[in-house]
Amino acid sequence: MIVPLIEAAADTCGGKAGALGALLRAGLPVPDGFVVSYAAYLAAARDLDLVRVAGDPDAARQVIESSQVRATVVDALRRALDELGDPPVAVRSSAASEDTGQASAAGQHESFLAVRGVSEVADAVRACWASLFSPRAIDYRRDDQPSDDLAMAVLVQRHLDAEVSGVMFTPADSSDATQIEASWGLGPSVVGGTVTPDAYRVAEDGSVTRTVADKRTRLDRHGTRLVIRDVPAHARDQPTIDDATATQLAKLGEEIAAVRGGPQDIEWAIVDGRIWVLQARPVTAAPPPPASPSSASDTPAATLAGTPGSHGTVTGTVRIVRGPGDFARVRPGDILVCPFTDPAWTPLLRIAAGVITETGGVLSHAAIVAREHAIPAVLGVLNATSALRDDTVITLDGTTGTVAAEHA
């Protein structure tokens, strides 16, 4: 039931672990680890008689959450962790429906960083299994996958205390640029959209263009906890990587795309000057190109501007959403305006006409899911929740990254 990561394949260990296993076999820099394969989840499902509650996702989730992981699995986890030296680890979902060419399931299942010790790892494994039945995962997959076809493997890797982390999209065509986003600290700040990252484009000829953001917070490990810290004032507007590192990342992206056979959405981290690959999955929907400087200068003063996140133009009613307490106020056709979007907000993206966030980049989970749902999105619109007002009508252009009020 425990598979060394270098031996992982998608049909037994899920798309996420299978991709990393292929990269390891190709000699690429992936942190070592192992996978709790589908077999362990399926055995647990039989033990818990999940078929009995297959039509009730809440009941299925509660059954898993209240259960104990099999003693044989715990013993296998202990041995596998000992082989790694029992370090802090990342425990991440690798579901059958995750990281495919049709659907990314970006952020829909659970992942945990800075986990230490067999008991805590077993708890995290169980939580990953249970997240198959979370409301956001169910809403994301809808009818695309019958409940009796569900399976969850769990990836366990050495935790990396990254100085800089980010996301990279490799191009679909050699004439296109590699897109890179980067910020200080651990990767969830970038993929979760809680910080507006630096953006880099590495062209085919090796030239690099960059947009340096005001990166106000960072996420780091403190023992077995994750802590959000303020970035020192002098570092907020400093570039997180130089052009040489951006070029090195782009070359690594080319290698990964060659191994995987197509354009890739890649999560990466830098530790002690070394680049590590944390995830690689197919690009499900390409982002729009960045707004040109000339178009930004032509933007009327009354128009808000941000980062183009998902193609399209829509006119709709503003709905300010600051947290789950505001979810019930959202109506079909509203345009969500929020500080950032948590993966738990995914069901809202099925009914919203568009999305505006105050922070985040074009490669964040929210932007990826917006593109998969084909709704316009503009990201990193500073103070959007105070500049826009509930129930007013606006036009959102996700291709140019602009937001304009409609006048009666």
Side-chain angles (χ1 to χ4, degrees), residues 5 9 12 22 36 38-39 56-57 62 90 104 107 113 150 162 287 294 297 379 387 390:
L5 182 55
T12 56
V36 184
Y38 289 159
D56 187 344
Q62 290 169 16
S104 66
L113 301 180
L150 296 178
S294 60
S297 63
L379 312 165
D390 254 345

Side-chain angles (χ1 to χ4, degrees), residues 82-99:
D82 285 344
E83 288 182 12
L84 287 180
D86 199 22
V89 293
V91 181
R92 306 168 67 202
S93 64
S94 185
S97 59
E98 206 168 7
D99 292 359

Side-chain angles (χ1 to χ4, degrees), residues 349-370:
L349 300 184
R350 283 200 178 271
I351 64 173
V355 182
I356 300 167
T357 68
E358 294 183 320
T359 61
V362 70
L363 308 185
S364 65
H365 287 159
I368 292 169
V369 175

Side-chain angles (χ1 to χ4, degrees), residues 43 120-121 136 149 187 190 223 232 240 277 279 307 312 322 339 354 362 366 376 381:
E120 296 300 319
V121 170
R136 67 185 189 234
D149 287 344
V190 177
T240 44
V277 179
Q279 183 169 316
T307 301
R322 291 190 171 87
V362 70
V381 179

Side-chain angles (χ1 to χ4, degrees), residues 53-114:
V53 290
D56 187 344
D58 285 340
R61 188 177 69 256
Q62 290 169 16
V63 166
I64 295 172
E65 290 173 340
S66 62
S67 68
Q68 295 295 319
V69 176
R70 272 182 169 192
T72 53
V73 175
V74 174
D75 287 343
L77 284 173
R78 182 178 291 107
R79 290 191 297 272
L81 289 168
D82 285 344
E83 288 182 12
L84 287 180
D86 199 22
V89 293
V91 181
R92 306 168 67 202
S93 64
S94 185
S97 59
E98 206 168 7
D99 292 359
T100 70
Q102 294 71 47
S104 66
Q108 301 313 303
H109 301 118
E110 292 290 359
S111 289
F112 303 91
L113 301 180

Side-chain angles (χ1 to χ4, degrees), residues 168 178 180 200-209 241-255 275:
M168 167 170 55
T178 298
I180 301 169
Y200 300 79
R201 291 176 65 83
V202 183
E204 181 186 13
D205 63 5
S207 61
V208 179
T209 57
I241 58 174
D242 57 20
D243 288 359
T245 302
T247 301
Q248 187 180 356
L249 278 164
K251 289 179 178 177
L252 177 60
E254 287 180 16
E255 294 181 65
I275 298 171

